[in-house]
Amino acid sequence: SSFIVEGITFTGGYIEASGAKGGALLLTSSNVKIEKCVFNGNSIKNKTNNHYGGGGAIAGNTSGTIGIINCIFKGNYLVGANANNMTGGAVYASGIELYVKDSEFNGNYWNSGEQKPWVYGGAIGTYHGLVSIENSIFTTKSCLLPMSKSSS
């Protein structure tokens, strides 16, 4: 399916489950354009030592394209029970094309309880897909590369 999400504020979305994805939006096999939206304080909590949780605000997987244009992501996060494979405090993309343009990521993070393999991406975590980021700002604990628990 294809659709546009425009001018919406997503605040306080929360999922608590094993392998949780997308605290505000979970997009599977979709072509979506997300424009002029705000994602604030959305989160997921991975209940067990399960794999592949991610995207405190948005998770996209399987196939398709997600375009994020002129959006703000602030204070979105992941919390896990010492889980492996938690990715993307704000956005998780697996097996899709992700493009981000003119957007801001501030204070997004993950906390897995301890450093585990494949726990990465304070702002964006990706796995098997194409990623393009243009003219965007990443600040305060936001990162694009794997980071250790003590990094900012």
Side-chain angles (χ1 to χ4, degrees):
S1 65
S2 296
F3 58 96
I4 298 171
V5 178
E6 184 174 0
I8 298 173
T9 298
F10 297 86
T11 301
Y14 177 76
I15 295 175
E16 183 175 342
S18 295
K21 295 178 183 76
L25 294 174
L26 173 58
L27 307 166
T28 301
S29 301
S30 301
N31 295 308
V32 182
K33 182 178 176 182
I34 302 168
E35 190 168 4
K36 299 175 187 169
C37 290
V38 175
F39 295 86
N40 186 30
N42 300 286
S43 62
I44 64 172
K45 181 176 182 181
N46 203 3
K47 289 178 72 172
T48 64
N49 193 7
N50 197 358
H51 300 297
Y52 306 110
I58 299 172
N61 64 7
T62 310
S63 65
T65 301
I66 297 177
I68 297 171
I69 303 162
N70 197 22
C71 291
I72 297 171
F73 294 83
K74 184 174 181 180
N76 301 286
Y77 62 94
L78 311 173
V79 176
N82 297 322
N84 292 320
N85 293 315
M86 289 178 42
T87 60
V91 178
Y92 168 67
S94 177
I96 68 167
E97 182 179 343
L98 172 68
Y99 66 91
V100 178
K101 182 176 180 184
D102 300 326
S103 295
E104 180 181 332
F105 294 80
N106 185 4
N108 302 285
Y109 63 95
W110 55 260
N111 180 357
S112 70
E114 63 181 77
Q115 180 63 36
K116 294 283 189 169
W118 303 106
V119 177
Y120 57 93
I124 298 174
T126 64
Y127 183 74
H128 292 296
L130 298 173
V131 178
S132 172
I133 299 172
E134 180 182 339
N135 197 37
S136 295
I137 299 169
F138 295 83
T139 58
T140 315
K141 292 189 181 178
S142 292
C143 71
L144 295 172
L145 301 172
M147 64 184 213
S148 69
K149 195 166 69 171
S150 62
S151 294
S152 295

